[in-house]
Every structure is written in C-alpha cells, then in structure tokens.
Amino acid sequence: MLLLATLALARPALSQNGNGAPNGAHYNLNIIGVTQAKNPPLTGSDRHTIFVPLVSDQNGDPDTLASDTAPILLTQGPFTVCDGNAFDPAVDCKGNVVNKTGAVFQLPCNNLTSLGLVVPCTSNGPGSIASYQVWARVVGTPGGNGTITLCAFDQTTLTEVCNTDEVLMRNKPNKFTDITKTLTTLVGATGPAGVGNYPLFASGFSGFFWDYDNNGNKVLQLRFYLTPQ
C-alpha cells in the first residue's frame, strides 16, 4: 500500500522515451522463464519477479491455465507479488493456499475510463482500485515468443472465460507495448450486465488469472503506471 501511495504522488506524464515506454514512476514486474522449477517458496517478500516455465507446453498443453502446472493467479489489492514461484502451491498475500500450483500477483481493479467498462470496479479495501496503464516488452536471450491474456471463470456456468484481446509478445522489436486492456479487462465477455468489457474481479466471475503461453521468452517485463483520469 505504501508503494501505491508513493506512485500516486508521482503520476507519470506518459510521454514516451526511446524504449517505447512512458516516462514516470511505475511498478515493475518481471516474469522470468526458467528451464528448471524453483525450489524456494518465494513468498513473503518485496520481490518484483515471478518464475514460470521457459516453455509452457511441456505436456502437450500450450497454455499456462489455472488447471495447468504454472498459472499466474490474480488477487485484488495494491501491487504486490504474493508468490513468485509458479512451480509449487500458490499462496496469496494473506498466506492462504489458493491453488495446488502457481504464482500469485496482487493488483488493483483498473477503472481507467478508456477501458469502456460495463460495470464499475468494486472496492476490496485500501489500494484495491486504481486507474493505470500496463506496458510490456520481452528481453533476454535466446529469445522467443508467447501470448498473454486475462481469464476468469463464469460463476454461473463454471466455464472459463478469456479475454478476446490477446497479445503476441516477441523478442524483436525490443520496445514496450501498451497491453492495459489485455491484462486488466475481460473484453467482450458475457456477464451479469450483458456482453461488454468487465473489469478485474467483477461480480459474476471468479478465479482471475493471466494465461501466459510462453515459448522461449526469457523475461517478460511489465510496467504499471498510475494514470490521472
């Protein structure tokens, strides 16, 4: 919460620099692909890294889904890596095991006006709602590609619902891309308010996670910029 407050006092002007990313204060998150599972629990610290498989489709399944071995589960609150190890039981920021395997990242519901949300964000305490942009790029060798998007489960049908806006992240060109809607909105989903763009942690959905299908990306860098409305 302290970090979120600090960022709020230094909101970026969002002018871009040479690497394509906006200038200004931001929260960094690095999603690192590794060939061997990490053994330490990697919980309970101020880390900004999450370790996932370098290649997702080890068992013929190309996606890092909630039913797979290394999902990135999402919970609501100030930006925090609750559990940076996607290879062991997933632990949220309160110390609760929430899945048999996976990493856990905590972030606010995004109420950015340009997302065109059909329902507003619902507060879950201090720092649980914010207006922000998400920028991403891939760095590191040998290079690769992958896709990442937001998914959740429909609480009525118990079926998986994924964002229709999916981004292919490549090693070149090595510049940041705005993927705010991809990672913080269920685009074109069917929910309690009909078909539309639903925010993170919207009522009617549960089990939000990032579906990251990695095919050799060493480091996926994410930057979160608080944005004035």
Side-chain angles (χ1 to χ4, degrees):
M1 185 164 63
L2 177 60
L3 175 61
L4 191 62
T6 301
L7 289 176
L9 293 175
R11 288 174 174 170
L14 298 186
S15 60
Q16 293 187 358
N17 56 37
N19 61 14
N23 292 309
H26 55 273
Y27 178 92
N28 283 314
L29 175 64
N30 291 328
I31 302 176
I32 303 172
V34 293
T35 56
Q36 294 185 341
K38 291 290 181 178
N39 292 323
L42 304 183
T43 58
S45 73
D46 189 29
R47 71 180 62 257
H48 288 247
T49 55
I50 289 175
F51 293 93
V52 300
L54 185 63
V55 178
S56 298
D57 58 351
Q58 297 288 340
N59 299 311
D61 187 343
D63 295 319
T64 306
L65 302 176
S67 59
D68 289 343
T69 57
I72 302 175
L73 307 174
L74 304 174
T75 61
Q76 187 175 5
F79 296 110
T80 308
V81 175
C82 305
D83 185 350
N85 191 352
F87 298 92
D88 65 357
V91 179
D92 67 15
C93 286
K94 296 180 180 179
N96 301 312
V97 176
V98 293
N99 202 53
K100 62 180 181 180
T101 53
V104 181
F105 182 57
Q106 180 176 277
L107 74 170
C109 178
N110 193 357
N111 65 353
L112 194 66
T113 302
S114 61
L115 296 177
L117 303 176
V118 294
V119 295
C121 287
T122 301
S123 177
N124 190 35
S128 64
I129 299 176
S131 173
Y132 59 94
Q133 294 182 4
V134 187
W135 292 71
R137 71 170 177 176
V138 173
V139 297
T141 57
N145 60 73
T147 58
I148 188 168
T149 196
L150 176 67
C151 296
F153 291 92
D154 186 308
Q155 290 182 322
T156 300
T157 64
L158 302 181
T159 57
E160 186 179 284
V161 178
C162 287
N163 194 342
T164 56
D165 184 8
E166 189 166 297
V167 171
L168 179 65
M169 305 299 300
R170 294 189 182 276
N171 190 257
K172 295 180 180 180
N174 198 24
K175 290 184 179 293
F176 280 92
T177 303
D178 184 350
I179 61 169
T180 305
K181 185 175 289 187
T182 303
L183 295 192
T184 66
T185 312
L186 288 174
V187 179
T190 300
V195 178
N197 297 345
Y198 284 82
L200 280 165
F201 318 115
S203 177
F205 302 93
S206 62
F208 283 81
F209 66 98
W210 285 337
D211 176 2
Y212 182 34
D213 179 2
N214 191 17
N215 187 31
N217 284 340
K218 184 61 178 177
V219 181
L220 172 59
Q221 294 182 333
L222 299 180
R223 291 184 178 183
F224 301 81
Y225 295 83
L226 291 182
T227 307
Q229 292 276 43

